[in-house]
Amino acid sequence: MPKNDSKPAFDYTSIMNESVDAWPEPDVLPAGHWQFQIKGAKSDASKGRASFVLQGISPLDDVDQTAVSKFNGNFEDAPVFLSFDLSRHQDVARLKQLIKALGLGEYSLNDALKAVKGMPVAGEVTHTPRNDGSDGVYVNVRRVAPITA
């Protein structure tokens, strides 16, 4: 009989029948500088946005190691999103600067967003308190740049 290594189906009914207060807050990457891998990027012309999904690879020295230890080296469940509003000149300039720094300046935006998958970058994670009365935070990333040898 063939081995089935796929993940078991998630039981969504358990979520549907629980109080929303029972749902735990997701773990977020601790603030500080990180090495990331770009997991994907896309643009949405109808919304005028370009976005990147970054996965933490390793924290740098300024990150709280106690907070990092709860991840046991697995940062897959704590992605960080980097978004650019293409209607804002400053965002377009930052996106252009990043694409050029990644060595993709001659590409169209759509082709560059396809080509960045898997590239290593570094950036600073910051937290902004949510204003909904919870202890949660919004995770932001800034100063993203390629990692050079």
Side-chain angles (χ1 to χ4, degrees):
M1 178 173 230
K3 186 176 176 182
N4 184 357
D5 288 330
S6 65
K7 290 183 179 181
F10 188 79
D11 180 13
Y12 295 103
T13 58
S14 66
I15 290 177
M16 302 301 289
N17 294 324
E18 289 179 345
S19 163
V20 294
D21 289 334
W23 302 347
E25 286 289 327
D27 290 329
V28 297
L29 289 183
H33 291 85
W34 284 80
Q35 291 183 353
F36 295 101
Q37 181 179 38
I38 300 174
K39 297 305 284 183
K42 66 179 182 175
S43 62
D44 184 340
S46 68
K47 295 182 180 177
R49 300 198 67 77
S51 59
F52 293 72
V53 179
L54 308 178
Q55 178 183 329
I57 298 298
S58 62
L60 299 182
D61 294 341
D62 63 338
V63 178
D64 178 1
Q65 294 302 309
T66 303
V68 168
S69 67
K70 69 180 168 183
F71 286 95
N72 294 320
N74 180 5
F75 306 110
E76 285 185 26
D77 291 334
V80 177
F81 302 94
L82 176 63
S83 295
F84 297 90
D85 180 345
L86 302 178
S87 70
R88 295 183 53 199
H89 181 71
Q90 185 176 14
D91 277 15
V92 172
R94 287 187 312 115
L95 177 59
K96 179 179 175 181
Q97 181 181 24
L98 177 58
I99 295 294
K100 288 177 80 173
L102 290 168
L104 303 171
E106 73 280 1
Y107 286 58
S108 70
L109 176 58
N110 283 328
D111 288 342
L113 293 177
K114 291 175 189 169
V116 297
K117 185 173 183 177
M119 288 186 168
V121 294
E124 181 185 10
V125 170
T126 63
H127 295 164
T128 304
R130 292 192 342 206
N131 57 3
D132 62 2
S134 72
D135 291 333
V137 296
Y138 293 109
V139 177
N140 311 295
V141 64
R142 61 184 185 174
R143 298 185 184 132
V144 175
I147 295 175
T148 56

